Amino acid sequence: MDTRATDDPRSAIDRSSRVHRLADGRNIGYAEYGSTDGLPVIALHGTPGSRYMFALTDEGARARGLRIIAPERPGYGLSDVHHFDTLAETAGDVLALADALELDRFVLLGVSGGGPHAVAVAALLKSRVMRMVLIAPVGPVAASEHIRMSHLHHFIFSRMAPSHHAAGAFFLGLRTMIDWAPGAAYQLLMQRVTASDHEALLRPEVRDNLQATLREGLRRSIDGPLQDLRLYCGPWDLPLGEIDVPTVMWQGSADTIVPPDAAYHLAGALHNCRLEVVEGAGHYWVFGEFDRVLDTVRASWP
């Protein structure tokens, strides 16, 4: 039976660095933000990313009586490396954490690369997920013959992702740049995004959060993002049409990081999904509008 780990002494105060030990001995790192006894929200970070991604929700979540629980997938931050064969298997770790924290029902939030994992959790735990909220999710890109992608997206998701060597070289280079030249790494990011993302990314608190999120996510290894790419760039093998969890999806129409058409495809495949296209927005618009998302999350409860 899974047990809750008693974190190192600092975690009694620092809610951002907690660890849960699974029955197989692995550790899952997670953070909590917002109200300590609020309505539970399990929030899944992007690729690459870490538990720190949702630190920007702390104040807004407190104001709305929400408890944000942000676990890290294997290979990220405090979570031990572990190989999964299928996307569906990743949902088991979220189930174990939800049980350990005694969460009967919760809202599920998936951002970018956390989106496919959120869908996997919804498929496994339909009766416990009150609502699923997806923000700029990676869609089923393996169905590329049915999805319009830019040449860059096609290269990343269809060519680079299946190559362990190529993807590994990319993430190793990214980690080196973040460690030694974080300002340069951020400038490269700014060059890849649309003008509509610049306003959010120029905010100092957003810059600091993204840099900390990426640094922590890649601190121990690059196994986390490599596994993410392998799993969600292959066949998902999830019963998308049978997932009836009420879902809201936001997708920027000008997203340069993930293919918008893949998100639209996912929204159409889910049985009970409301798609809201943010016209002209890129990938990072949410960092300036987390309160909008939290309002939707709060409305999930009576």
Side-chain angles (χ1 to χ4, degrees):
M1 182 176 180
D2 293 339
T3 59
R4 287 187 65 179
T6 56
D7 320 67
D8 56 64
R10 66 178 180 174
S11 65
I13 300 173
D14 182 8
R15 299 171 67 212
S16 69
S17 299
R18 295 186 168 178
V19 175
H20 168 64
R21 186 176 294 277
L22 294 171
D24 63 5
R26 285 189 292 124
N27 287 329
I28 296 178
Y30 70 101
E32 292 197 25
Y33 304 105
S35 175
T36 56
D37 58 354
L39 302 168
V41 182
I42 294 182
L44 305 182
H45 62 76
T47 304
S50 70
R51 64 195 185 278
Y52 291 160
M53 178 182 181
F54 297 97
L56 292 174
T57 69
D58 189 50
E59 184 177 344
R62 288 178 190 275
R64 292 164 177 80
L66 299 174
R67 176 188 179 194
I68 308 295
I69 300 155
E72 293 170 319
R73 294 185 291 280
Y76 286 108
L78 299 174
S79 292
D80 293 334
V81 172
H82 181 73
H83 178 86
F84 285 117
D85 290 319
T86 67
L87 183 59
E89 291 176 7
T90 68
D93 284 0
V94 177
L95 169 61
L97 182 60
D99 286 346
L101 298 178
E102 300 179 347
L103 307 181
D104 181 31
R105 302 194 73 195
F106 52 88
V107 169
L108 189 59
L109 173 61
V111 178
S112 191
H117 298 281
V119 174
V121 173
L124 177 67
L125 303 176
K126 300 175 189 176
S127 63
R128 294 173 66 175
V129 180
M130 297 184 63
R131 176 174 290 186
M132 179 163 58
V133 178
L134 301 175
I135 302 169
V138 176
V141 290
S144 57
E145 66 275 13
H146 305 299
I147 294 171
R148 292 170 298 171
M149 290 194 284
S150 68
H151 292 301
L152 179 59
H153 283 148
H154 182 75
F155 173 77
I156 293 172
F157 294 107
S158 300
R159 296 291 185 87
M160 188 184 81
S163 169
H164 186 86
H165 177 75
F170 172 79
F171 287 116
L172 280 173
L174 178 61
R175 182 172 69 175
T176 300
M177 182 172 285
I178 290 170
D179 284 343
W180 295 99
Y186 205 72
Q187 285 303 313
L188 283 177
L189 172 63
M190 293 286 284
Q191 292 175 18
R192 274 204 61 195
V193 302
T194 60
S196 60
D197 276 335
H198 282 199
E199 183 177 351
L201 292 176
L202 286 172
R203 292 167 55 180
E205 69 273 19
V206 173
R207 181 197 62 222
D208 292 347
N209 175 264
L210 279 175
Q211 289 179 339
T213 294
L214 292 173
R215 185 180 299 110
E216 176 62 11
L218 298 172
R219 176 174 54 85
R220 292 203 301 177
S221 76
I222 60 168
D223 293 274
L226 287 179
Q227 174 149 269
D228 272 354
L229 285 180
R230 175 174 55 82
L231 292 176
Y232 61 58
C233 290
W236 287 18
D237 293 329
L238 296 173
L240 300 180
E242 299 175 14
I243 300 173
D244 58 359
V245 173
T247 300
V248 178
M249 179 189 298
W250 279 287
Q251 176 61 50
S253 66
D255 198 327
T256 58
I257 305 299
V258 301
D261 202 53
Y264 304 155
H265 181 86
L266 175 60
L270 295 172
H271 177 67
N272 189 10
C273 179
R274 184 178 86 244
L275 171 64
E276 295 193 14
V277 177
V278 187
E279 292 294 341
H283 192 69
Y284 294 96
W285 65 269
V286 71
F287 285 92
E289 298 192 45
F290 262 125
D291 283 352
R292 177 180 175 185
V293 174
L294 295 177
D295 284 340
T296 296
V297 169
R298 183 62 184 85
S300 303
W301 278 273

